[in-house]
């Protein structure tokens, strides 16, 4: 036996000091391998739509209702099933309504507890008792375990369980117990959650989503471009800060910054009112319904324009500093002719500007911030960097997230893999070195982490600047377009200038040779693996399918964001991967939690089978199963070492 192997087995022996303990663990792990694999839940492009996200999380994209159907079949009416499902989703709110109309609450409690116990038994059956025990709420762990575990030694089971349920009701703990069971079912129905990016921007509640994710029992996050720009802002990257604020104002979401994160917008408001006092800023209206009066709307427009101009200046500075980004064609302020009120674009075409008022631009040095702009950005940078809640949310993205993930044979990422038109991996230059495929993802992610953790100031600054590049760079895997035409959308009427050409990735998704090459690049089996990504909304209303390349690619951005629903025709896709296969759910718009409780309505979802397995998938078929098999092999070696006397037992 090699010295390194012996040393490892000696360390293992500290955990399993006897033949008996090692043997028991082998038996335990072997039994886990033969359980059905846990259910994975995939969600993407949430864009701050907390209410819809929360509901889909509660119902497991229909998984809870399926469990109810499995348990009760035709023994419960559809009305009773809907009522039970609503109770599981919103136990507190549902019970408040029931108490207003139900005459015999004691009987209702008893019936409801028994129904929840049956659903809980079925939901817990695919897990080991140890895993279920860890999921149990501390206050009721022992009692719930008694109720959902068959006790062969009890002769009169009905009387035994009746006595427990009756006692729960008699001592006034029925409501608390119902809440505990409902939340346990929600937790057990989904074993692991995948969030494929773009939690932030557009919708009003990304901070609520982050709070909810911080409490979730098992998840991973693939960063989206909108998440990365918020990460850059939290780390103090000025162009990212300006972008985050501009997006928040544009979509009428300043409440996220001011109320959600406590970031004071007064410095920007004061500057904007002074610098743009004589400017109507008419091209900078906010999107969506406005509840402001005329004065507030005017202030919003001025703040919007002020931060947009600051953003264009900061981006110009950044791109002239980093020639290797090859994005100097996006420096546009110096191309403006202020006397003619026109701009000459990099292709030589001249366009009239919709807005010719630039009171803060020095045409001899158009990318230089004024003293007022510098002061605003210094204050905002300090506010972003010192916001504890924002920093906690960004740490969650760092701890649970990355640019991609391989999980149980599938490749997960938010945007795209940069490709050439012939389907080969595109080479991208990052600070003097070229990378492609998986290596590009790994290098970019390393720089993201340096922005937060590097000690060397130069390396940290490179990381900060790469965060902005990932947001808007033409070869960024998270952006995936030739340019971001923000300036053009504000200032040029010709919609041809607004177009953003997608990377070849999106045109090649039906080519099996290209998809197979991508799966192989990330170490996955092309015969079994899938690519799951979001980022670009699927236009279902135009007949576009989210399932591509014979089921090998699944695009699950279907319009959680209200801003996209006109073009997608739905309100988001989610994906469920359980032991039987993959099912795609297309959701209709969610109204509100109040309506869901009062009217017992669920999100209407159309489910489509993407891939069914010929044999039910077990834990042994998963990544965790591979790790368990390796551990079993190591424990068998330890047993052999004990029996040969190489290592002594410590009884």
């Amino acid at each position: 036996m090699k010295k390194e192997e012996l040393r490892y087995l000696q360390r293992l022996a500290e955990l399993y000091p006897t033949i008996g303990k090692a043997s028991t663990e082998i038996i335990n792990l072997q039994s886990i391998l033969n359980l059905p694999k846990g259910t994975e839940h995939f969600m993407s492009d949430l864009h701050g739509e907390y209410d819809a996200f929360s509901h889909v999380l509660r119902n497991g994209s229909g998984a809870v209702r399926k469990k109810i159907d499995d348990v009760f079949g035709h023994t419960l009416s559809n009305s009773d099933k809907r009522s039970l499902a609503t109770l599981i989703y919103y136990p507190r709110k549902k019970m408040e309504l029931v108490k207003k109309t139900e005459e015999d609450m004691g009987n209702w409690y008893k019936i409801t507890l028994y129904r929840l116990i049956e659903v809980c038994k079925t939901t817990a059956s695919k897990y080991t008792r140890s895993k279920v025990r860890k999921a149990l709420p501390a206050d009721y762990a022992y009692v719930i375990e008694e109720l959902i575990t068959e006790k062969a030694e009890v002769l009169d089971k009905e009387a035994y369980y009746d006595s427990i349920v009756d006692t729960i009701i008699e001592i006034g703990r029925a409501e608390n117990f119902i809440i505990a069971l409902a939340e346990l079912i929600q937790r057990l129905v989904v074993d692991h959650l995948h969030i494929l990016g773009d939690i932030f921007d557009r919708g009003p509640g990304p901070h609520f989503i982050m709070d909810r994710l911080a409490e979730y029992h098992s998840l991973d996050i693939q960063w989206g471009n909108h998440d990365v720009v918020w990460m850059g802002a939290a780390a103090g990257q000025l162009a990212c800060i300006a972008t985050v604020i501009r997006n928040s104002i544009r979509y009428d979401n300043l409440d996220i910054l001011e109320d959600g994160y406590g970031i004071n917008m007064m410095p920007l408001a004061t500057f904007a009112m002074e610098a743009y006092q004589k400017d109507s800023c008419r091209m900078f209206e906010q999107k969506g319904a406005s509840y402001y009066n005329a004065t507030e709307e005017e202030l919003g427009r001025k703040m919007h324009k002020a931060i947009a101009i600051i953003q264009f200046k900061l981006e110009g500075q950044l791109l002239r500093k980093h020639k290797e980004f090859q994005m100097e064609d996006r420096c546009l302020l110096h191309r403006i002719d202020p006397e003619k009120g026109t701009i000459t674009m990099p292709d030589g075409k001249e366009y009239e500007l919709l807005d010719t008022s630039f009171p803060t631009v020095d045409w001899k040095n158009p990318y230089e911030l004024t003293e007022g702009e510098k002061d605003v950005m210094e204050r905002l940078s300090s506010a972003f960097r010192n916001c504890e809640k924002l920093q906690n949310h960004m740490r969650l993205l760092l701890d649970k997230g990355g640019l991609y993930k391989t999980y149980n044979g599938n490749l997960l990422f938010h945007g795209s893999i940069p490709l050439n038109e012939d389907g080969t991996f595109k080479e991208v230059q990052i600070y003097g070195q070229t990378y492609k495929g998986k290596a590009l993802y790994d290098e970019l992610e390393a720089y993201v982490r340096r922005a937060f953790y590097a000690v060397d100031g130069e390396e940290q600054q490179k990381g900060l600047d790469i965060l902005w590049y990932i947001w808007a760079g033409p070869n960024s895997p998270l952006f995936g377009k030739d340019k971001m035409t923000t300036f053009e959308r504000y200032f040029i009427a010709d919609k041809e200038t607004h177009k953003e050409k997608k990377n070849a990735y999106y045109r090649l998704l039906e080519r099996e040779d290209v998809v197979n090459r991508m799966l192989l690049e990330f170490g996955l089996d092309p015969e079994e693996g899938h690519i799951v990504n979001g980022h670009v909304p699927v236009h279902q209303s135009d007949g576009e399918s989210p399932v591509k390349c014979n089921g090998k690619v699944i695009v699950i951005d279907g319009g959680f964001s209200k801003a996209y629903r006109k073009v997608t025709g739905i309100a988001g896709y989610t994906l469920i991967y359980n032991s039987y296969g993959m099912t795609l759910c297309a959701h209709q718009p969610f109204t509100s939690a109040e309506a869901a409780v009062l009217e017992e309505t669920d999100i209407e979802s159309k489910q489509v089978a993407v891939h069914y397995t010929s044999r039910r998938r077990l834990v042994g078929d998963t990544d965790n199963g591979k790790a368990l098999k390796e551990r079993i092999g190591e424990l068998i070696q330890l047993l052999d070492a004990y029996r040969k006397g190489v290592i002594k037992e410590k009884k």
Side-chain angles (χ1 to χ4, degrees):
M1 183 180 294
K2 293 180 180 178
K3 187 176 180 180
E4 292 80 9
E5 288 180 7
L6 178 60
R7 187 177 297 162
Y8 177 75
L9 292 177
Q10 287 170 336
R11 295 287 181 272
L12 197 60
E14 293 174 9
L15 296 173
Y16 308 99
T18 67
I19 289 175
K21 287 189 186 304
S23 301
T24 299
E25 184 65 3
I26 290 172
I27 295 165
N28 177 44
L29 296 179
Q30 192 64 51
S31 67
I32 292 172
L33 291 176
N34 292 289
L35 288 170
K37 80 172 282 295
T39 298
E40 298 171 50
H41 194 186
F42 301 73
M43 302 170 77
S44 175
D45 296 85
L46 306 174
H47 283 300
E49 298 293 344
Y50 174 73
D51 288 342
F53 161 77
S54 177
H55 187 83
V56 171
L57 206 60
R58 291 169 189 270
N59 78 359
S61 286
V64 169
R65 181 58 194 266
K66 186 177 184 305
K67 289 295 180 188
I68 293 172
D69 288 335
D70 291 344
V71 172
F72 296 107
H74 299 294
T75 63
L76 276 187
S77 67
N78 284 332
S79 174
D80 283 342
K81 287 178 183 176
R82 279 199 309 273
S83 185
L84 183 59
T86 304
L87 178 72
I88 292 171
Y89 306 154
Y90 303 100
R92 289 181 176 84
K93 292 180 179 178
K94 181 62 178 174
M95 282 191 286
E96 286 174 11
L97 280 179
V98 170
K99 283 188 286 186
K100 292 177 181 178
T101 57
E102 181 60 50
E103 295 179 0
D104 187 352
M105 282 304 295
N107 186 53
W108 186 87
Y109 285 141
K110 191 165 188 173
I111 292 169
T112 300
L113 282 166
Y114 271 115
R115 287 175 178 174
L116 289 173
I117 288 163
E118 289 305 310
V119 176
C120 211
K121 280 182 183 177
T122 301
T123 308
S125 63
K126 69 193 298 184
Y127 302 112
T128 63
R129 191 176 297 184
S130 171
K131 186 163 185 172
V132 173
R133 193 175 291 131
K134 290 173 184 174
L136 296 174
D139 290 347
Y140 304 107
Y142 173 76
V143 182
I144 292 176
E145 190 170 359
E146 286 293 295
L147 289 169
I148 67 175
T149 305
E150 284 291 332
K151 299 185 76 64
E153 69 275 16
V154 176
L155 297 177
D156 191 346
K157 292 183 175 65
E158 188 174 341
Y160 176 75
Y161 294 123
D162 272 349
S163 68
I164 296 176
V165 172
D166 288 341
T167 303
I168 290 168
I169 297 169
E170 286 167 11
I171 64 174
R173 304 305 289 172
E175 289 186 24
N176 298 75
F177 212 83
I178 286 169
I179 291 168
L181 284 171
E183 291 177 350
L184 178 62
I185 292 165
Q186 286 183 37
R187 174 167 177 168
L188 292 178
V189 81
V190 171
D191 186 44
H192 189 82
L193 176 65
H194 305 284
I195 302 292
L196 275 72
D198 277 2
I199 297 165
F200 287 88
D201 287 335
R202 297 199 173 94
H207 48 306
F208 297 130
I209 294 174
M210 292 300 295
D211 285 341
R212 188 74 182 275
L213 292 178
E215 298 171 351
Y216 203 78
H217 58 276
S218 181
L219 84 151
D220 56 66
I221 302 168
Q222 288 69 61
W223 304 325
N225 53 322
H226 286 270
D227 306 319
V228 164
V229 77
W230 274 78
M231 292 166 75
Q237 211 288 335
L238 295 181
C240 290
I241 291 173
T243 301
V244 162
I245 295 171
R246 183 187 59 78
N247 278 336
S248 297
I249 297 174
R250 184 173 176 81
Y251 288 93
D252 196 13
N253 280 326
L254 269 184
D255 288 351
I256 297 169
L257 291 170
E258 293 182 314
D259 300 334
Y261 290 114
I263 293 173
N264 185 8
M265 288 290 112
M266 189 57 70
L268 176 62
T270 304
F271 167 78
M273 285 300 291
E274 182 181 336
Y276 292 87
Q277 184 177 4
K278 299 178 181 178
D279 190 339
S280 69
C281 303
R282 60 187 177 84
M283 301 307 301
F284 289 83
E285 296 283 354
Q286 294 165 293
K287 290 196 172 191
S290 175
Y291 304 99
Y292 302 127
N293 59 39
T295 303
E296 290 170 328
E297 287 183 354
E298 182 185 3
L299 175 59
R301 291 196 303 272
K302 292 182 188 304
M303 291 173 67
H304 191 178
K305 184 170 182 178
I307 199 66
I309 298 301
I310 289 172
Q311 177 188 325
F312 299 142
K313 288 183 177 184
L314 291 169
E315 289 175 348
Q317 293 175 20
L318 186 68
L319 296 177
R320 289 184 160 188
K321 171 186 170 185
H322 291 294
K323 306 285 188 185
E324 66 274 15
F325 288 177
Q326 298 177 351
M327 290 177 65
E328 283 190 86
D329 61 332
R330 299 311 301 153
C331 299
L332 298 176
L333 292 180
H334 72 283
R335 296 181 174 277
I336 294 172
D337 185 330
E339 293 181 3
K340 292 173 63 180
T342 62
I343 183 169
T344 303
M345 298 299 283
D347 62 3
K349 292 182 181 178
E350 188 176 39
Y351 298 91
E352 285 189 17
L353 292 172
L354 296 170
D355 184 339
T356 58
S357 174
F358 297 93
T360 65
V361 177
D362 174 3
W363 296 112
K364 293 179 181 177
N365 197 354
Y367 300 103
E368 182 70 27
L369 296 184
T370 66
E371 290 304 314
E373 288 171 331
K374 287 177 184 176
D375 180 63
V376 167
M377 291 312 297
E378 284 173 10
R379 293 190 186 192
L380 289 171
S381 175
S382 177
F384 273 83
R385 287 183 287 108
N386 292 301
C387 174
E388 185 177 358
K389 184 173 183 177
L390 179 61
Q391 296 302 322
N392 287 339
H393 285 171
M394 296 306 107
R395 275 194 290 274
L396 179 66
L397 289 177
L398 288 164
D399 293 345
K400 297 291 185 181
L403 284 175
Y404 72 93
K405 189 163 187 75
T406 56
Y407 196 96
N408 290 339
N410 298 315
L411 173 59
L412 320 178
F413 53 79
H414 174 71
S416 63
I417 298 175
L419 299 177
N420 297 309
E421 291 296 336
D422 63 358
T424 57
F425 296 115
K426 190 171 188 178
E427 291 191 343
V428 179
Q429 189 179 104
I430 305 295
Y431 295 132
Q433 300 291 323
T434 55
Y435 304 89
K436 61 181 179 179
K438 181 177 178 294
L440 174 61
Y441 273 88
D442 291 337
E443 186 68 11
L444 289 172
E445 183 170 329
Y447 271 110
V448 169
R449 297 189 185 280
R450 285 175 211 172
F452 290 89
Y453 302 126
V455 176
D456 181 272
E458 186 177 342
E459 285 298 298
Q460 185 182 48
Q461 189 59 53
K462 284 183 177 179
L464 288 169
D465 293 346
I466 216 71
L467 281 160
W468 180 87
Y469 177 83
I470 294 172
W471 155 252
N475 293 317
S476 160
L478 298 193
F479 180 51
K481 299 176 186 178
D482 65 335
K483 58 188 172 184
M484 188 177 289
T485 58
T486 307
F487 181 94
E488 289 89 330
R489 291 168 191 269
Y490 284 123
F491 289 103
I492 302 176
D494 189 342
K495 292 191 182 301
E496 280 298 311
T497 66
H498 302 179
K499 289 183 178 178
E500 300 169 347
K501 184 181 177 183
K502 296 177 188 175
N503 179 261
Y505 170 86
Y506 297 101
R507 295 185 289 280
L508 298 170
L509 286 181
E510 295 290 358
R511 274 184 49 181
E512 197 160 346
D513 62 319
V514 174
V515 172
N516 288 348
R517 190 181 302 122
M518 289 189 282
L519 288 167
L520 285 168
E521 171 73 5
F522 287 83
L524 299 177
D525 181 0
E527 297 302 316
E528 296 288 333
H530 302 82
I531 291 174
V532 186
N533 73 276
H535 186 50
V536 175
V538 175
H539 293 209
Q540 191 195 54
S541 55
D542 294 338
E544 184 182 1
S545 171
V547 182
K548 304 179 186 299
C549 197
N550 298 317
K552 286 192 174 186
V553 180
I554 307 157
V555 182
I556 62 169
D557 179 7
F560 255 98
S561 172
K562 291 177 183 176
Y564 285 143
R565 290 177 192 170
K566 289 181 181 178
V567 294
T568 62
I570 58 168
Y573 288 108
T574 56
L575 184 69
I576 291 290
Y577 180 25
N578 59 26
S579 57
Y580 295 103
M582 285 184 162
T583 304
L584 189 70
C585 304
H587 303 290
Q588 292 305 309
F590 178 67
T591 51
S592 68
E594 288 70 25
V597 175
L598 188 64
E599 301 166 20
E600 295 185 343
T601 55
D602 208 339
I603 290 183
E604 289 187 32
S605 306
K606 181 181 179 183
Q607 296 192 343
V608 180
V610 177
H611 174 71
Y612 274 157
T613 58
S614 56
R615 174 184 64 83
R616 196 174 185 190
R617 304 278 282 185
L618 305 177
V619 172
D621 301 315
T622 67
D623 293 345
N624 187 42
K626 292 174 185 175
L628 293 179
K629 287 173 184 176
E630 287 180 9
R631 194 54 178 271
I632 290 170
E634 292 162 356
L635 287 166
I636 289 171
Q637 283 184 276
L638 179 61
L639 280 182
D640 188 54
Y642 279 139
R643 287 167 177 156
K644 289 180 177 177
V646 176
I647 297 176
K648 293 180 182 179
E649 289 185 88
K650 295 178 182 177
K651 295 187 178 179

